[in-house]
Amino acid sequence: MTSKSTPGDGDPFSDLKLASFTLLRELQGRSRCTVCEASRKFFCYTCCRPVKELEGKLPHVELPIKIDIIKHSLEVDGKSTAVHASILAPEQVHLYTYPCIPEYKEPSKVLLVYPSETARTLKELLPEKKKGDGNQSQNGNDLPTAKRRRTVDTLFERVVFIDSTWSQSRKMFADERLRGWLL
């Protein structure tokens, strides 16, 4: 049984349109990466590129904000799903291998997504509304989804994710270079 949702009912996937994956299903065998020559099925997880047979045929996604993913050096490249984001949104998604952590001009505009004791929800991070501004909520919860996204876009320039096992991520999270970023 399938339930149909409408935009604004809390379902972030209500307007999601999936492209056909027939092309992937029909692709036979493995191919050589055009950069490193490694044998790959659909994409090269080392070079973050689709195989030659899929170049220009995969969907291109435009994300509302830039994303950096910091992968632990011991995390197996071929098992990381971060590469998928980089292939589908190459202008907005950048991958780094720990201990390489990018430096940001304004760390206060960087949002680190990590489940810690001091972590806050996105709703908690939105600026408080003043009474009498026409909105009933104190933190933008009843704003339309598109308007809420624009608010997040203006608050943060980049979202950073840690890609690793729990044990590895705890060690990465303890790194002083991550301390200035908002949680």
Side-chain angles (χ1 to χ4, degrees):
M1 182 169 185
T2 317
S3 66
K4 181 96 172 146
S5 59
T6 58
D9 70 355
D11 180 5
F13 304 110
S14 61
D15 292 329
L16 183 68
K17 294 178 182 147
L18 296 176
S20 170
F21 56 89
T22 304
L23 181 66
L24 298 178
R25 186 178 288 163
E26 292 174 350
L27 190 62
Q28 298 293 314
R30 299 171 69 82
S31 301
R32 294 273 174 204
C33 171
T34 57
V35 176
C36 72
E37 294 291 315
S39 175
R40 303 291 190 238
K41 178 67 176 169
F42 300 118
F43 59 89
C44 180
Y45 47 79
T46 305
C47 302
C48 298
R49 300 177 53 99
V51 294
K52 185 176 182 176
E53 293 82 356
L54 296 177
E55 284 180 359
K57 297 176 182 173
L58 297 176
H60 181 82
V61 178
E62 189 77 26
L63 300 174
I65 195 164
K66 294 186 183 297
I67 294 176
D68 287 344
I69 301 171
I70 304 171
K71 183 185 79 63
H72 194 279
S73 59
L74 297 178
E75 191 71 11
V76 178
D77 287 340
K79 294 189 179 227
S80 173
T81 55
V83 177
H84 301 101
S86 177
I87 290 171
L88 297 176
E91 290 83 23
Q92 285 110 357
V93 178
H94 294 96
L95 305 180
Y96 298 90
T97 302
Y98 185 80
C100 179
I101 295 177
E103 291 184 26
Y104 301 106
K105 291 179 185 175
E106 294 185 65
S108 63
K109 293 211 171 220
V110 177
L111 177 66
L112 174 63
V113 178
Y114 186 81
S116 72
E117 290 182 18
T118 59
R120 292 174 278 167
T121 67
L122 193 53
K123 289 178 184 177
E124 292 170 331
L125 292 174
L126 290 175
E128 296 236 348
K129 301 255 173 246
K130 294 182 179 142
K131 286 189 176 185
D133 68 356
N135 292 313
Q136 296 173 355
S137 84
Q138 289 294 313
N139 60 4
N141 293 346
D142 59 347
L143 292 173
T145 303
K147 190 170 186 177
R148 201 174 316 141
R149 265 192 224 115
R150 282 195 299 274
T151 303
V152 172
D153 291 359
T154 57
L155 287 175
F156 307 108
E157 293 177 356
R158 191 168 305 269
V159 177
V160 178
F161 295 92
I162 293 175
D163 182 25
S164 67
T165 64
W166 281 112
S167 175
Q168 294 164 345
S169 71
R170 285 186 198 102
K171 291 174 187 168
M172 292 169 65
F173 185 65
D175 192 308
E176 286 297 318
R177 296 175 290 172
L178 300 178
R179 290 291 159 215
W181 303 351
L182 208 52
L183 292 172

